[in-house]
């Protein structure tokens, strides 16, 4: 598989990409992709990085793996292609934004590229998935690569907002990968139907993110 990474991220992650496990990961994915239908399309696997430059990075939102339905995944966590139906989790994200920011706008597209272009890294723990089978590429060790991404951001940047939604993302952010003395970490339940009523709605993560960015003299996100 071609590693379609923008030059700035490729420089940051060069040592990681050169490690034996990553080369094995690329070969394993190539085999999976030959035997099964996989998402997102190969040219979009690294879209989260290519739409959000390392220099402009402000916010990291951690997901688990891409949507596994036909025509949905576009390489950004929680995001779908323009013509795809907006998934329930993303509908709940939009609802929370409306309540948090006192807005009445409900997007008709679930494509979150506009967030990425403002400096929001929409990072899934696994960057690929087999059609119709959630978490099916966990064995490919994408998590080692995305752990290294989080570590690099923590080490090389300051004042990044990490949004950890649900147990999976919170476990991903535990340990010393994120230096909480120089970054801002917000945690809540996952915006899925399983947890929305008690643990998602009312978290105000979007206004809290913007308030933090503003306090550091950083341009806010237009959610």
């Amino acid at each position: 598989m071609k590693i379609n990474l923008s030059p700035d991220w490729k420089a940051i992650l060069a040592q990681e990409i050169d490690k034996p496990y990553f080369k094995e990961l690329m070969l394993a994915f190539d085999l999976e992709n030959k035997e099964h239908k996989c998402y997102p399309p190969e040219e979009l696997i690294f879209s989260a990085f290519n739409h959000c430059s390392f220099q402009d990075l402000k916010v990291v939102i951690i997901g688990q793996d891409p949507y596994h339905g036909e025509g949905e995944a576009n390489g950004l966590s929680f995001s779908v292609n323009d013509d795809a139906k907006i998934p329930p989790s993303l509908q709940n994200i939009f609802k929370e934004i409306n309540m948090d920011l006192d807005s009445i706008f409900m997007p008709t597209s679930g494509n979150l590229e506009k967030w990425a272009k403002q400096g929001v890294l929409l990072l899934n723990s696994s960057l690929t998935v087999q059609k119709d089978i959630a978490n099916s590429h966990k064995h490919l060790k994408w998590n080692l690569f995305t752990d290294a991404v989080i570590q690099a951001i923590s080490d090389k940047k300051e004042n990044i907002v990490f949004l950890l939604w649900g147990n999976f993302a919170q476990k991903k952010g535990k340990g010393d990968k994120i230096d909480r003395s120089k970054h801002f970490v917000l945690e809540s339940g996952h915006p899925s139907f399983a947890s929305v009523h008690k643990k998602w709605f009312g978290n105000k993560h979007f206004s809290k993110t913007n308030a933090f960015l503003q306090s550091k003299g950083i341009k806010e996100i237009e959610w």
Side-chain angles (χ1 to χ4, degrees), residues 63-82:
Q64 186 162 343
D65 61 349
Y67 294 114
H68 50 76
E70 179 70 33
E72 293 180 331
N74 63 2
L76 311 178
S77 64
F78 295 100
S79 175
V80 291
N81 288 312
D82 286 312

Side-chain angles (χ1 to χ4, degrees), residues 139-187:
H139 67 287
L140 296 185
K141 299 182 180 179
W142 277 117
N143 63 302
L144 295 180
F145 175 69
T146 51
D147 280 353
V149 171
I150 294 169
Q151 186 74 65
I153 293 169
S154 179
D155 291 346
K156 298 177 183 297
K157 301 286 284 187
E158 292 184 353
N159 300 323
I160 300 298
V161 182
F162 288 86
L163 301 182
L164 309 181
W165 299 337
N167 291 334
F168 180 87
Q170 288 161 24
K171 289 178 182 177
K172 185 84 171 167
K174 283 190 180 300
D176 59 359
K177 286 194 294 293
I178 302 173
D179 184 346
R180 300 190 182 213
S181 69
K182 64 173 184 171
H183 301 293
F184 187 46
V185 180
L186 291 171
E187 300 182 359

Side-chain angles (χ1 to χ4, degrees), residues 32-216:
E32 283 276 325
N33 205 26
K34 288 177 181 177
E35 295 182 348
H36 307 284
K37 182 73 172 178
C38 298
Y39 300 127
E42 189 171 328
E43 67 272 14
L44 298 180
I45 289 173
F46 295 99
S47 285
F49 304 94
N50 296 331
H51 285 297
C52 174
S53 73
F54 187 79
Q55 179 179 348
D56 296 334
L57 181 62
K58 303 174 185 178
V59 180
V60 179
I61 300 178
I62 298 174
Q64 186 162 343
D65 61 349
Y67 294 114
H68 50 76
E70 179 70 33
E72 293 180 331
N74 63 2
L76 311 178
S77 64
F78 295 100
S79 175
V80 291
N81 288 312
D82 286 312
D83 54 354
K85 182 180 179 181
I86 299 177
S89 291
L90 186 53
Q91 290 181 26
N92 287 324
I93 290 171
F94 289 154
K95 289 176 183 178
E96 174 59 23
I97 290 172
N98 280 345
M99 290 189 294
D100 185 12
L101 303 181
D102 196 23
S103 170
I104 58 172
F105 174 69
M106 183 59 69
T108 57
S109 170
N111 192 332
L112 302 181
E113 285 182 10
K114 64 178 184 178
W115 291 7
K117 291 175 180 177
Q118 296 178 74
V120 181
L121 181 66
L122 293 153
L123 179 68
N124 277 316
S125 180
S126 290
L127 300 191
T128 60
V129 71
Q130 184 180 328
K131 180 183 178 182
D132 297 332
I133 307 177
N135 209 24
S136 49
H137 284 180
K138 182 179 179 180
H139 67 287
L140 296 185
K141 299 182 180 179
W142 277 117
N143 63 302
L144 295 180
F145 175 69
T146 51
D147 280 353
V149 171
I150 294 169
Q151 186 74 65
I153 293 169
S154 179
D155 291 346
K156 298 177 183 297
K157 301 286 284 187
E158 292 184 353
N159 300 323
I160 300 298
V161 182
F162 288 86
L163 301 182
L164 309 181
W165 299 337
N167 291 334
F168 180 87
Q170 288 161 24
K171 289 178 182 177
K172 185 84 171 167
K174 283 190 180 300
D176 59 359
K177 286 194 294 293
I178 302 173
D179 184 346
R180 300 190 182 213
S181 69
K182 64 173 184 171
H183 301 293
F184 187 46
V185 180
L186 291 171
E187 300 182 359
S188 78
H190 192 276
S192 65
F193 284 136
S195 59
V196 287
H197 298 296
K198 294 182 180 180
K199 298 179 180 179
W200 170 253
F201 287 128
N203 65 38
K204 298 187 180 297
H205 279 191
F206 305 96
S207 60
K208 290 177 181 178
T209 293
N210 280 349
F212 174 81
L213 294 175
Q214 187 179 44
S215 74
K216 301 298 181 181

